[in-house]
Amino acid sequence: MSAVYATFGLAPAMRAGGVLANGVFQVHRDFVDFIVDGRPLLFQLSDLDAVSPLASDVPPAIFTAQVRSLLLEADAPLPGGRYVIYGCPDCADLACGAVTAAIARDGDDYIWQDFAWQTDEHADLELNGYHGIGPFRFQGDEYRAALGSLLREAAEAPRRRVLLVGARVALLARLAAALRTIGVGADITDDVDGVPADELRAYGAVAFGRAVGEEQRAGIRRAFTDAGVDVTYVDGLAPIVPLLVAQIEHALDRSPLDRRRLTRLVAADGEAGVEVTSPCRVRLTAYRLDRLYRTHTHEVFDGVLEPGRHRIPLDAKAVKGEAFVVARTSGSVLVEPMAR
């Protein structure tokens, strides 16, 4: 069996959660993605909303079993020596559809081939095969080192918890509830004096409301610095829950910048500038506050974009006054205030 050698690696990735404009909650999933020849394998599958089996929220025993399975230390879960490479981010049910591949050893090498979209136990390669992907031949040492590191090293779990600081308790309560539905823990406070360092280490971000003064902000930052805890600070743009959720989701994203699909968002002069690294579906939502501080939501774009930079016109009514734009893909989210 012949195949050109490809490099194999792993990198943290995520399927961004969020509160969509229609009120539907999209579940957030952190996972480890497969990097083939320096590029996430998921990006070769166009706009596929899926995660690998190496997700951070699965029980440790199942995670270990998935890794050992990819190392061929256990029987294949599907007929024909096939393994799930990417599955449904919401339920992981094969009936929802999954990308599978046959994995085999050839001497010391590992080969991934016959990629297909599969919805039951048997794959139809003619009808549902990914004919332009693979086969990939990986050198055994590199392959085992990458996957073995997941077993040998107890990687620090992502700190999916945020501390909310603000004057509007009712708004913070709604924000905390929305964050919890997408797997982000949230606590509300006005100071952290006397909080043990071990408790502060549970947080990955601190979000400040617009009414929080600089003295209060400085005191909280000082407490985290004295505890030796590195967190991301978020300045809330406006009292709009979906907007704040998007800001916090972005702050908690630990995936490398060069592994993201959505890399740039600019909102100015009645248009949005978006840059993506691979074909993907992008949704743009505009939020604005009127003079009575009522929130108005507008879905301004929803479509598949090709790699590169794009300029998308925005409806003048959608960005009138104090307005903000949120851009989402299946893997990331960006937020920008509308510049004037």
Side-chain angles (χ1 to χ4, degrees):
M1 180 184 297
S2 64
V4 176
Y5 276 110
T7 61
F8 180 85
L10 302 169
M14 77 165 186
R15 186 263 196 152
V19 184
L20 306 184
N22 60 3
V24 173
F25 296 106
Q26 180 169 283
V27 177
H28 180 101
R29 300 292 304 279
D30 287 294
F31 64 99
V32 177
D33 200 2
F34 307 110
I35 308 300
V36 178
D37 285 336
R39 184 173 175 79
L41 181 59
L42 185 60
F43 286 12
Q44 297 190 39
L45 303 170
S46 189
D47 187 43
L48 180 66
D49 184 16
V51 301
S52 82
L54 306 178
S56 64
D57 55 354
V58 301
I62 295 178
F63 184 91
T64 298
Q66 295 285 7
V67 175
R68 295 197 181 281
S69 178
L70 293 171
L71 287 166
L72 304 186
E73 295 177 2
D75 292 337
L78 297 170
R82 301 191 68 80
Y83 296 77
V84 173
I85 306 300
Y86 296 106
C88 174
D90 296 314
C91 66
D93 191 332
L94 184 61
C96 288
V99 177
T100 67
I103 302 179
R105 289 282 297 271
D106 183 23
D108 194 47
D109 298 339
Y110 291 77
I111 296 179
W112 289 20
Q113 62 182 344
D114 296 335
F115 287 81
W117 178 254
Q118 196 165 340
T119 55
D120 54 37
E121 284 199 349
H122 299 281
D124 187 333
L125 296 180
E126 250 190 67
L127 183 63
N128 297 315
Y130 287 97
H131 302 294
I133 298 179
F136 301 115
R137 177 184 289 268
F138 304 117
Q139 292 184 339
D141 289 345
E142 181 182 60
Y143 185 88
R144 287 188 293 270
L147 288 169
S149 67
L150 298 178
L151 301 177
R152 293 189 305 270
E153 301 172 7
E156 182 180 346
R159 291 174 291 162
R160 303 273 308 156
R161 196 165 195 85
V162 61
L163 191 64
L164 306 178
V165 185
R168 300 176 62 174
V169 177
L171 172 69
L172 296 180
R174 294 199 305 274
L175 175 57
L179 288 168
R180 290 179 189 126
T181 64
I182 60 170
V184 177
D187 297 303
I188 301 170
T189 190
D190 54 6
D191 70 73
V192 291
D193 289 343
V195 177
D198 285 346
E199 292 187 25
L200 295 181
R201 291 192 185 96
Y203 298 100
V206 177
F208 296 114
R210 297 201 295 188
V212 178
E214 188 51 45
E215 183 177 350
Q216 187 179 2
R217 293 170 186 247
I220 290 175
R221 289 193 183 99
R222 187 166 51 250
F224 276 91
T225 300
D226 292 345
V229 181
D230 182 23
V231 297
T232 302
Y233 295 99
V234 179
D235 293 320
L237 290 172
I240 302 171
V241 170
L243 179 70
L244 295 171
V245 168
Q247 282 192 266
I248 292 169
E249 280 290 282
H250 174 68
L252 292 174
D253 185 359
R254 296 293 187 263
S255 61
L257 291 176
D258 61 352
R259 307 295 190 205
R260 301 182 189 180
R261 276 179 164 159
L262 180 62
T263 57
R264 181 175 178 267
L265 172 64
V266 178
D269 301 324
E271 65 180 23
V274 177
E275 184 172 4
V276 296
T277 60
S278 67
C280 59
R281 179 185 178 189
V282 176
R283 298 192 304 273
L284 293 181
T285 306
Y287 300 93
R288 71 177 181 89
L289 293 173
D290 63 21
R291 294 183 179 180
L292 297 177
Y293 276 83
R294 295 173 298 191
T295 301
H296 300 265
T297 303
H298 301 268
E299 290 284 0
V300 294
F301 178 79
D302 187 346
V304 175
L305 297 180
E306 294 300 315
R309 294 188 174 186
H310 304 267
R311 298 170 64 177
I312 301 171
L314 302 175
D315 188 332
K317 294 181 180 178
V319 293
K320 181 181 179 181
E322 187 177 13
F324 313 88
V325 178
V326 175
R328 284 188 178 277
T329 68
S330 60
S332 55
V333 58
L334 291 177
V335 182
E336 281 294 322
M338 193 70 197
R340 300 294 174 186

